[in-house]
Amino acid sequence: IRRPPRSTPRPSSAASDVYKRQLIYFSTSIFSAIGGRSEHGAIKVTVMLGVIDLIATAFYGLFSDRCGRRLFLLIGVSGLIAMNLGIAISAKVNPIVLPYFACFFIIFQSTSIGPTAWIYCSEILPPAGVSVTTTVFWVFQALYSFSFLYAAQGLGIAGVFFVNTGIC
C-alpha cells in the first residue's frame, strides 16, 4: 500500500536547491557586476526571478502527479546542467543574456529537483529522518552561502557557475 505524502509543512520546499538560493540572494550583485545594469535594473531582474519561481512552482504542484515526477526530474536536471553552463558562458562572453539563462535556471529547478526532493524525503523517511535531512541541508546551505562571495572573488562568477555545472 502506497502511503500518501504527509501534509506537514517543509521549510522552503519551493526553493530547496542551494544554487537557486544563491542566484536569488546575490542576484543584484551578480547582475550589477557582470551585466552592467544599474542597481535598480538588477532589482527588477531579481523581482522577475521571484515571480517566475512562484509560477513555476505552482505549475509543478498542479501537474507533477498527472505527468509523473520522473519526467519532471529528467527534463529539469538536464535543463539545470545546461542553464548552469549557459550562465557561466554568458558571464564571460555576453552578459546581456545572463538574466534569461537565470530565468530558465529558476524554471527548471522549481519544476524538478527543488520540490521533488522534499516530497520524496517526506514519503520515504520517518519524521526524525526528515528532520536530519533538513538539518543537513541547512548546514550545507549556510556553508555555500558564506563561501559564495569569496569563491566569486577568486574564481569569478563564471568560474563559480562552471563549478556548479560540474557538481550538478
Side-chain angles (χ1 to χ4, degrees):
I1 296 175
R2 185 170 172 246
R3 246 183 3 171
R6 291 187 183 97
S7 61
T8 56
R10 302 286 178 255
S12 302
S13 62
S16 67
D17 189 35
V18 174
Y19 305 137
K20 180 176 104 176
R21 287 178 187 258
Q22 298 337 305
L23 185 62
I24 291 175
Y25 287 166
F26 301 113
S27 63
T28 53
S29 302
I30 292 169
F31 295 132
S32 294
I34 291 181
R37 298 186 187 295
S38 65
E39 186 175 337
H40 183 60
I43 290 171
K44 282 183 180 178
V45 173
T46 303
V47 170
M48 181 182 66
L49 290 176
V51 170
I52 287 172
D53 183 22
L54 179 69
I55 292 168
T57 304
F59 175 82
Y60 176 82
L62 291 172
F63 294 105
S64 64
D65 285 334
R66 291 183 199 158
C67 300
R69 294 181 200 151
R70 185 172 188 264
L71 176 67
F72 276 102
L73 280 173
L74 290 173
I75 293 170
V77 171
S78 300
L80 283 173
I81 292 169
M83 292 307 110
N84 260 320
L85 193 58
I87 290 171
I89 292 170
S90 69
K92 282 281 194 193
V93 178
N94 188 4
I96 301 298
V97 297
L98 182 68
Y100 300 107
F101 282 110
C103 288
F104 282 107
F105 177 86
I106 297 292
I107 290 169
F108 283 121
Q109 198 281 329
S110 295
T111 57
S112 65
I113 203 157
T116 306
W118 295 107
I119 292 170
Y120 281 152
C121 284
S122 69
E123 287 179 348
I124 295 170
L125 300 173
V130 175
S131 297
V132 169
T133 304
T134 303
T135 302
V136 168
F137 167 74
W138 281 107
V139 166
F140 281 103
Q141 170 66 33
L143 291 173
Y144 192 81
S145 295
F146 295 140
S147 65
F148 183 84
L149 291 177
Y150 296 112
Q153 286 176 347
L155 300 172
I157 297 295
V160 170
F161 280 98
F162 276 122
V163 170
N164 289 352
T165 302
I167 292 171
C168 190

